[in-house]
Amino acid sequence: MLRFIEEDFRVLRGPFESGRQTPGNLGFTLIISIFLQAMLYALEYFMAADSTIFPYKDNILQVHFWLTVVLVILSIIYAIPAVYKRSGKMQYLVTIIVTQNMSSIPFLIMALFLVGKEGEGMIATEGSLLRFTFIILLIGLLIFIFTFIRFNTLLRKGHYRKGSKKDELRGRFENTSYVPAAIIVGLGIVFIIQYIVRSTSIDDINMIVLIVGGITAFFVMLFILPEQLVILYCKFRFKSFNFNERGYLNK
């Protein structure tokens, strides 16, 4: 990343220039996230965790509880104007983690707990559920790696320079560059459905949709994460990605 110059990331300033991701708007998002994080944890604890044989369930719930508590406290702190005006970089970092805790982590946990629901005809064991979880996490890691490589390639091609033209060749490249990640996601969904059919007693289509949807949400957020991390990197490296204490984006 150090070989890139500021101009290579210029398009990524768009959310800041448009006002969508000003410190004030991010602060408002953090306030809303307090209630959403609490609600999602409640669903995870009182609904998905009930009657599941998923191993280390209590440990997972405890770790996620304290993670949520810490993030709620940080959300309150970095929603205060006097704080985020002096620490915009940390506010953006907290926002990234909170976003993952609202849109990814709880849905993954709930999906895994639902897969391990006890029922008549249940074949899955704690060992097979752990292997299933490991494969899901491995697929997620591959999605993240492919997406990060794609992002790096687009940066080198100048796709994020100010005023760059997306001619036919670039358009073709950008479309096909999604293929590896899309294939991995597709294979992951097929694997999930096969595991549910073969190893669990779940025959409710709504339950299957909830499980597949929850894990897919986890995959999608990993697809978004590289861009969020690159923007965070830009905020630490370039002054022009930050706002001054009066609320104006630095030139």
Side-chain angles (χ1 to χ4, degrees):
M1 281 290 182
L2 290 175
R3 67 178 181 275
F4 292 112
I5 61 175
E6 186 172 359
E7 185 62 28
D8 293 322
F9 302 94
R10 196 66 180 275
V11 172
L12 295 176
R13 288 179 84 242
F16 305 122
E17 292 172 342
S18 67
R20 295 196 311 273
Q21 292 189 12
T22 62
N25 285 342
L26 293 181
F28 178 74
T29 301
L30 290 176
I31 290 295
I32 299 299
S33 75
I34 295 171
F35 305 100
L36 291 176
Q37 290 180 91
M39 181 186 69
L40 287 170
Y41 183 82
L43 288 174
E44 174 186 314
Y45 185 87
F46 292 107
M47 295 181 64
D50 183 44
S51 302
T52 182
I53 66 167
F54 195 89
Y56 308 112
K57 175 190 70 175
D58 294 335
N59 302 82
I60 293 171
L61 289 171
Q62 185 176 29
V63 170
H64 191 217
F65 171 79
W66 287 112
L67 172 64
T68 301
V69 168
V70 170
L71 289 177
V72 165
I73 294 172
L74 290 175
S75 296
I76 295 172
I77 292 173
Y78 284 97
I80 301 173
V83 176
Y84 66 63
K85 286 182 178 180
R86 296 176 178 271
S87 188
K89 302 181 186 71
M90 288 304 300
Q91 185 200 42
Y92 197 81
L93 173 60
V94 170
T95 302
I96 292 175
I97 302 173
V98 166
T99 301
Q100 293 293 324
N101 196 46
M102 286 192 301
S103 308
S104 173
I105 298 173
F107 293 107
L108 175 65
I109 293 175
M110 284 189 280
L112 293 176
F113 284 175
L114 290 175
V115 170
K117 277 281 188 181
E118 290 182 300
E120 187 177 349
M122 184 70 169
I123 304 174
T125 62
E126 290 190 358
S128 69
L129 287 170
L130 282 178
R131 289 192 292 273
F132 175 78
T133 303
F134 174 78
I135 293 173
I136 294 299
L137 295 177
L138 179 61
I139 293 171
L141 178 62
L142 291 175
I143 291 171
F144 178 82
I145 292 173
F146 272 107
T147 306
F148 191 85
I149 292 173
R150 170 189 172 273
F151 202 95
N152 183 70
T153 304
L154 291 177
L155 280 171
R156 288 192 288 104
K157 294 288 185 178
H159 281 244
Y160 293 95
R161 285 177 171 269
K162 189 72 172 180
S164 60
K165 301 293 184 181
K166 295 189 176 183
D167 55 29
E168 184 179 353
L169 180 60
R170 283 187 178 183
R172 190 183 308 122
F173 171 80
E174 188 170 3
N175 290 332
T176 56
S177 64
Y178 285 102
V179 172
I183 292 174
I184 295 173
V185 172
L187 291 174
I189 292 174
V190 171
F191 167 73
I192 295 165
I193 295 174
Q194 284 185 336
Y195 182 87
I196 293 172
V197 172
R198 294 176 179 177
S199 304
T200 73
S201 58
I202 299 172
D203 55 5
D204 184 354
I205 187 63
N206 293 322
M207 184 74 74
I208 294 175
V209 169
L210 285 174
I211 294 171
V212 174
I215 297 177
T216 302
F218 169 69
F219 292 156
V220 170
M221 292 307 297
L222 286 175
F223 189 80
I224 297 172
L225 184 58
E227 181 171 327
Q228 293 178 317
L229 294 177
V230 171
I231 293 176
L232 178 65
Y233 163 80
C234 290
K235 289 183 74 69
F236 275 95
R237 184 176 174 189
F238 306 119
K239 186 177 180 180
S240 64
F241 277 77
N242 295 281
F243 293 80
N244 58 35
E245 291 189 14
R246 292 184 298 168
Y248 295 105
L249 186 63
N250 292 319
K251 295 183 179 180

